[in-house]
Amino acid sequence: MRCLAIPAAAALVLGSMAVTDASGLSLSAAHSSPSPSSRTRTVDCGRGFNDLSLQVVTAHAGKSTCATAKQVSDAFGKAVRGGKQPPVTVSVRGASWKCEEKQPTNTPNPYTECASSKQAEERVLLVS
């Protein structure tokens, strides 16, 4: 799987989150997480659980970035298929990831965000 960097303005504006859908429509939501550092970027990692768009917000982009995101997505999918309802905590590569549905204000399209307990600015996003 090839990882592509997405300009932050095109995919995500952190602090007050805005996710852009395929049509270019901005979906915004209040986001209570701590503001990430200026080194944070969004990386497109292809498709994840339920064929959703898999993205990772990270300050540590490298070869394992998308591999970790895929493992988090797969672990979340396994938990959901096993009957668990979000929020769900999964363990990947020695870190716990809390996955929960986020509902952008004034939009019908929720997304799933998995936040690392080890590094607060690390996030895996599953977006339709």
Side-chain angles (χ1 to χ4, degrees), residues 5-14 18-27 42 55 127:
I6 299 173
L12 217 32
V13 176
L14 300 164
V19 177
T20 304
D21 70 8
S23 68
L25 181 65
S26 179
L27 313 171
T42 301
Q55 300 170 356
V127 182

Side-chain angles (χ1 to χ4, degrees), residues 18-84:
V19 177
T20 304
D21 70 8
S23 68
L25 181 65
S26 179
L27 313 171
S28 40
H31 191 57
S32 61
S33 330
S35 217
S37 74
S38 60
R39 299 180 332 236
T40 303
R41 63 186 183 138
T42 301
V43 179
D44 180 9
C45 295
R47 307 309 274 178
F49 171 64
N50 267 358
D51 201 37
L52 294 169
S53 175
L54 180 62
Q55 300 170 356
V56 61
V57 178
T58 182
H60 308 286
K63 288 185 178 185
S64 66
T65 300
C66 287
T68 299
K70 180 72 172 139
Q71 289 175 344
V72 170
S73 173
D74 290 348
F76 172 72
K78 183 177 180 180
V80 170
R81 284 190 302 273
K84 293 189 178 177

Side-chain angles (χ1 to χ4, degrees), residues 99-114:
C99 301
E100 57 189 325
E101 189 174 276
K102 302 285 186 165
Q103 179 68 50
T105 304
N106 299 322
T107 66
N109 298 322
Y111 64 96
T112 299
E113 176 184 271
C114 298

